Short mmCIF file of all heavy atoms in Angstrom, two decimals:
data_model
loop_
_atom_site.label_atom_id
_atom_site.label_comp_id
_atom_site.label_asym_id
_atom_site.label_seq_id
_atom_site.Cartn_x
_atom_site.Cartn_y
_atom_site.Cartn_z
N THR A 16 2.20 4.43 9.95
CA THR A 16 3.58 4.86 10.16
C THR A 16 3.74 6.35 9.84
O THR A 16 4.43 7.08 10.57
CB THR A 16 4.55 4.03 9.30
OG1 THR A 16 4.34 2.65 9.60
CG2 THR A 16 5.99 4.39 9.56
N ILE A 18 1.36 8.68 9.99
CA ILE A 18 0.67 9.45 11.03
C ILE A 18 1.48 9.44 12.32
O ILE A 18 1.70 10.47 12.95
CB ILE A 18 -0.73 8.87 11.29
CG1 ILE A 18 -1.55 8.86 10.01
CG2 ILE A 18 -1.44 9.65 12.40
CD1 ILE A 18 -2.79 8.00 10.08
N GLY A 21 4.47 11.74 12.25
CA GLY A 21 4.08 13.13 12.37
C GLY A 21 3.63 13.54 13.76
O GLY A 21 3.76 14.69 14.15
N ASP A 27 2.15 1.40 16.99
CA ASP A 27 1.29 0.63 17.90
C ASP A 27 0.64 1.54 18.94
O ASP A 27 -0.53 1.37 19.28
CB ASP A 27 2.08 -0.49 18.59
CG ASP A 27 2.51 -1.57 17.61
OD1 ASP A 27 1.83 -1.74 16.57
OD2 ASP A 27 3.54 -2.23 17.87
N MET A 33 -5.84 5.86 19.21
CA MET A 33 -7.03 6.09 18.38
C MET A 33 -8.21 5.27 18.89
O MET A 33 -9.34 5.78 18.95
CB MET A 33 -6.72 5.78 16.92
CG MET A 33 -5.78 6.80 16.29
SD MET A 33 -5.46 6.52 14.55
CE MET A 33 -6.86 7.36 13.85
N HIS A 37 -7.92 9.11 22.21
CA HIS A 37 -6.93 10.12 22.57
C HIS A 37 -6.34 10.80 21.34
O HIS A 37 -5.77 11.88 21.44
CB HIS A 37 -5.80 9.52 23.41
CG HIS A 37 -6.28 8.93 24.70
ND1 HIS A 37 -6.88 9.68 25.68
CD2 HIS A 37 -6.27 7.65 25.14
CE1 HIS A 37 -7.20 8.89 26.70
NE2 HIS A 37 -6.84 7.65 26.39
N GLY A 45 -11.87 19.23 -0.59
CA GLY A 45 -11.81 20.51 -1.27
C GLY A 45 -12.97 20.72 -2.23
O GLY A 45 -13.47 19.78 -2.84
N ALA A 47 -14.56 23.79 -5.27
CA ALA A 47 -14.22 24.89 -6.18
C ALA A 47 -12.74 24.76 -6.60
O ALA A 47 -12.36 23.74 -7.15
CB ALA A 47 -14.53 26.23 -5.56
N ALA A 50 -11.02 21.53 -5.49
CA ALA A 50 -11.63 20.24 -5.83
C ALA A 50 -10.53 19.23 -6.15
O ALA A 50 -9.53 19.56 -6.80
CB ALA A 50 -12.57 20.40 -7.01
N THR A 56 -6.56 16.18 9.32
CA THR A 56 -5.82 16.67 10.47
C THR A 56 -6.00 15.69 11.62
O THR A 56 -7.12 15.31 11.93
CB THR A 56 -6.33 18.07 10.89
OG1 THR A 56 -6.28 18.93 9.74
CG2 THR A 56 -5.46 18.65 11.99
N LEU A 66 -2.22 16.77 6.90
CA LEU A 66 -1.79 16.26 5.60
C LEU A 66 -2.71 16.81 4.52
O LEU A 66 -3.93 16.72 4.63
CB LEU A 66 -1.89 14.73 5.57
CG LEU A 66 -1.11 13.96 6.63
CD1 LEU A 66 -1.49 12.49 6.61
CD2 LEU A 66 0.38 14.14 6.41
N GLN A 76 1.38 18.63 0.92
CA GLN A 76 1.93 19.42 2.02
C GLN A 76 1.67 18.69 3.33
O GLN A 76 0.64 18.05 3.49
CB GLN A 76 1.24 20.78 2.04
CG GLN A 76 1.76 21.73 3.08
CD GLN A 76 1.05 23.08 3.00
OE1 GLN A 76 0.05 23.25 2.31
NE2 GLN A 76 1.56 24.05 3.73
N SER A 79 3.07 19.99 11.09
CA SER A 79 2.78 19.50 12.44
C SER A 79 3.12 20.61 13.42
O SER A 79 3.92 21.50 13.13
CB SER A 79 3.57 18.23 12.76
OG SER A 79 4.94 18.46 12.67
N ASP A 81 3.62 21.29 17.78
CA ASP A 81 3.74 20.76 19.12
C ASP A 81 3.03 21.71 20.07
O ASP A 81 3.34 22.90 20.10
CB ASP A 81 5.21 20.64 19.49
CG ASP A 81 5.46 19.95 20.80
OD1 ASP A 81 4.48 19.65 21.53
OD2 ASP A 81 6.63 19.72 21.13
N TYR A 82 2.08 21.20 20.83
CA TYR A 82 1.31 22.03 21.76
C TYR A 82 1.77 21.90 23.20
O TYR A 82 1.17 22.48 24.08
CB TYR A 82 -0.17 21.65 21.72
CG TYR A 82 -0.80 21.87 20.39
CD1 TYR A 82 -1.64 20.90 19.86
CD2 TYR A 82 -0.59 23.01 19.65
CE1 TYR A 82 -2.26 21.07 18.63
CE2 TYR A 82 -1.18 23.20 18.43
CZ TYR A 82 -2.02 22.23 17.92
OH TYR A 82 -2.62 22.41 16.70
N ARG A 84 3.41 22.55 26.57
CA ARG A 84 3.79 23.83 27.18
C ARG A 84 5.04 23.65 28.02
O ARG A 84 5.13 22.74 28.83
CB ARG A 84 2.66 24.35 28.05
CG ARG A 84 1.41 24.51 27.23
CD ARG A 84 0.55 25.55 27.80
NE ARG A 84 -0.58 25.71 26.91
CZ ARG A 84 -1.18 26.86 26.74
NH1 ARG A 84 -0.79 27.89 27.40
NH2 ARG A 84 -2.18 26.95 25.93
#
Side-chain angles (χ1 to χ4, degrees):
T16 304
I18 303 165
D27 292 334
M33 290 183 85
H37 300 297
T56 307
L66 303 170
Q76 183 178 10
S79 60
D81 186 354
Y82 298 136
R84 302 207 176 212

